[in-house]
Each structure stands twice: as structure tokens, then as C-alpha cells.
Amino acid sequence: MVDRSDIGAVVDAMYACISGPAGPRDWTTQREIFHPDSRQARTGLDADGRPTMIVMGREAYVANVTPFFAENGFFEVEISRRITEFGNMAHVWSVYEARTAPEDAEPERRGINSIQLCRGPDGLWSILHMIWDNERPGLTASA
């Protein structure tokens, strides 16, 4: 059970539920911390250098990443966080590094997760939107 009264605990749980060795993930936490109407958006560039984006709800995200996680170790670790809060909304800029194994000397990728959270009638935080992009030449992650 995640302490959803704490924005940091929600973000920590998000990283924990996607990180692990090759194999299945337990998506119980993801369903607990993401709002039922949440959207996640992976951005990047296509082969011609044009912006791309895939937008997914909770179950579409699980379907999208399950084949990758089945075959690959993936450990995403937050290295910097900035939280701003106003009333029942919060925004988190979260810089991450991803490795195929925790002991890898160099990250396989770095980037930023932009996370919007909302506080519900129960007073608890849920992730409503999350969009991310990875570093590439000319684009360096910093919060």
C-alpha cells in the first residue's frame, strides 16, 4: 500500500513498479497510484527527426510495455526531483536514469518525467498525467 498522502511516495512507487529484472511486473501499484482516467505519453523523434508521441491510458500502457519488460531488465532511478503544488494539483519534474541492471556503470538512457497529480475527495494524490522524453544530442535532462 502506497502512502498517497505524500507526493514523493507516489512518485517513488511509480519508479518501483516499472523497475526490475526481465520478467512480468506486478501492476497492482500502478493501478493504485494512477487515476483511472490517467494518460501517459512517451515522446521522442522518429527516424526522420520529427516529434513522435504515443498516448496511453493505464491498461494501454501495460499492454505496450509488457513485451519489453518480459525480455529486458529495466531499472529506472530518479536522480533529481522538483515538486510544485497549488491547492489540489501538483507538478513533478523528475530526472531519471535507466539501466538494464542496477550495477551497470553507465545508464542506458536519461530523461525527464513530467508528472501531474491531483488530490481527490479522499485527500490522496493520484497521477493524472505523465509525459516523458529521453536525452539525445542537443537535449540534456535537468530539473
Side-chain angles (χ1 to χ4, degrees):
M1 197 77 172
V2 177
D3 178 7
R4 291 185 33 233
S5 67
D6 178 1
I7 292 168
V10 173
V11 173
D12 291 344
M14 180 276 300
Y15 281 107
C17 79
I18 62 170
S19 295
R25 300 295 191 263
D26 179 355
W27 295 109
T28 305
T29 300
Q30 189 244 25
R31 291 180 183 104
E32 178 185 349
I33 63 173
F34 280 82
H35 188 277
D37 295 323
S38 65
R39 293 292 178 262
Q40 297 178 68
R42 178 186 304 120
T43 66
L45 299 176
D46 68 14
D48 295 321
R50 292 182 304 236
T52 63
M53 181 172 53
I54 300 172
V55 179
M56 301 162 276
R58 288 189 315 190
E59 298 309 317
Y61 175 80
V62 169
N64 180 272
V65 298
T66 292
F68 175 81
F69 289 154
E71 300 293 324
N72 300 279
F74 182 79
F75 295 83
E76 195 166 272
V77 177
E78 183 180 60
I79 58 172
S80 174
R81 175 186 298 171
R82 182 173 35 132
I83 299 173
T84 54
E85 204 176 321
F86 184 82
N88 295 315
M89 59 184 180
H91 185 238
V92 180
W93 286 103
S94 179
V95 179
Y96 60 82
E97 291 182 343
R99 291 173 167 74
T100 57
E103 63 275 4
D104 290 350
E106 292 296 319
E108 180 262 330
R109 70 183 92 160
R110 287 174 36 104
I112 295 182
N113 288 314
S114 173
I115 307 164
Q116 290 181 322
L117 299 96
C118 58
R119 186 177 7 231
D122 57 4
L124 303 178
W125 293 100
S126 296
I127 297 173
L128 186 59
H129 299 115
M130 187 168 135
I131 185 170
W132 64 95
D133 203 346
N134 294 324
E135 286 186 339
R136 54 186 167 270
L139 185 63
T140 302
S142 66

